[in-house]
Amino acid sequence: MRRADRLFLLIHALRGRRSALTAQRLAETLEVSLRTVYRDVADLQRSGVPIEGEAGVGYMLRKGSDIPPLMFTPGELEALVVGTRFVRAFGGVRLGREAAAALLKIEAVLPPELRERSQRTRIFAPEVERMENSGLIDELHAAVTASRVLRLDYRDNDSRITQREIEPLCLAFWGGSWTLGAWCRLRCDFRNFRPDRIVAYVPTGEVFVEDAERGLDAYLRAVSSPRTEP
């Protein structure tokens, strides 16, 4: 668990309590050591969070005080909810899971009226059987993040299969389909590949290093003008 997530959960565990929560209980809840709990509480206190208590007794938020709720307008909150739904439907398995977890954290500290509003929006993005829900987008995203060279069997517009070795740079969603932006070593140029036309792929084991001529910035400049098909 990231430290920022742990600190958030620690504060959330103390919200609205009328009695002190022991460090041992916090450690069990967060699955960390007592030493980590003591250090985190001390850091939060130094940053101004009104936590009272001590080791061996327990901790609670100072009586009459609370952490102010996140201040979202109803429109901002609805945008977050709708955005989360679209990420869950189209952003791949991993990002969908992370988006849902992020929304739960936000809703945990919202005032009741805004929390209820978050459940009433009528814009949906149904999670149907699509390639992004099969894990392909996650795997391509991982290759982009790790700068891993991929070898593809790729089907072109005429249904011919060609072999490509590419340096993946980014993923883009166009409202109905994804494209994978990459440097194509066969064409010695930037190309956009549709994931639904990737017949097979495998990492070569090579990690590439972006430079000024074939990195992401150069790709973004190149795609601003008309491109040929892969």
Side-chain angles (χ1 to χ4, degrees):
M1 182 187 300
R2 296 180 307 170
R3 184 169 185 269
D5 293 336
R6 190 175 70 243
L7 295 177
F8 174 89
L9 292 174
L10 193 157
I11 294 172
H12 185 57
L14 299 177
R15 289 176 62 90
R17 293 190 61 86
R18 296 183 179 180
S19 59
L21 192 62
T22 66
Q24 181 63 45
R25 180 70 178 277
L26 285 168
E28 293 171 356
T29 300
L30 301 175
E31 297 182 344
V32 296
S33 67
L34 280 172
R35 181 178 179 182
T36 297
V37 170
Y38 295 144
R39 184 178 64 245
D40 287 349
V41 168
D43 288 344
L44 288 169
Q45 289 172 327
R46 281 193 292 270
S47 67
V49 178
I51 297 176
E52 295 182 334
E54 59 185 68
V57 177
Y59 300 98
M60 61 187 301
L61 289 175
R62 185 180 303 128
K63 187 175 181 180
S65 67
D66 196 0
I67 306 302
L70 293 176
M71 298 307 294
F72 291 112
T73 67
E76 290 169 342
L77 180 60
E78 187 170 18
L80 286 171
V81 173
V82 172
T84 298
R85 290 177 178 176
F86 273 89
V87 171
R88 291 182 64 182
F90 303 110
V93 178
R94 184 186 64 81
L95 282 181
R97 184 171 58 245
E98 298 291 351
L103 187 60
L104 285 175
K105 291 179 181 179
I106 291 171
E107 290 181 334
V109 293
L110 287 174
E113 65 275 11
L114 283 184
R115 188 180 305 118
E116 183 181 350
R117 173 65 182 264
S118 75
Q119 300 168 357
R120 292 204 309 262
T121 182
R122 297 190 179 188
I123 299 178
F124 300 97
E127 297 177 51
V128 296
E129 290 298 324
R130 302 169 59 98
M131 64 178 180
E132 50 264 32
N133 294 328
S134 70
L136 175 59
I137 296 301
D138 285 349
E139 293 163 5
L140 295 178
H141 186 194
V144 169
T145 302
S147 299
R148 292 198 292 263
V149 175
L150 297 178
R151 186 174 295 120
L152 310 180
D153 289 341
Y154 189 76
R155 186 176 64 251
D156 64 17
N157 284 337
D158 298 319
S159 296
R160 295 173 301 190
I161 305 297
T162 61
Q163 283 71 46
R164 307 295 183 92
E165 198 166 279
I166 66 169
E167 300 173 8
L169 299 170
C170 65
L171 283 159
F173 184 65
W174 300 92
S177 62
W178 285 91
T179 57
L180 174 67
W183 175 265
C184 178
R185 291 181 172 181
L186 176 65
R187 305 301 189 201
C188 295
D189 201 356
F190 295 112
R191 288 292 187 270
N192 292 315
F193 296 90
R194 283 177 44 175
D196 60 340
R197 291 185 179 177
I198 295 176
V199 178
Y201 68 96
V202 62
T204 66
E206 179 185 354
V207 174
F208 67 92
V209 178
E210 293 188 36
D211 59 33
E213 295 182 354
R214 51 201 278 184
L216 179 60
D217 289 342
Y219 164 82
L220 294 175
R221 289 193 299 271
V223 297
S224 64
S225 59
R227 306 298 301 168
T228 59
E229 289 294 321

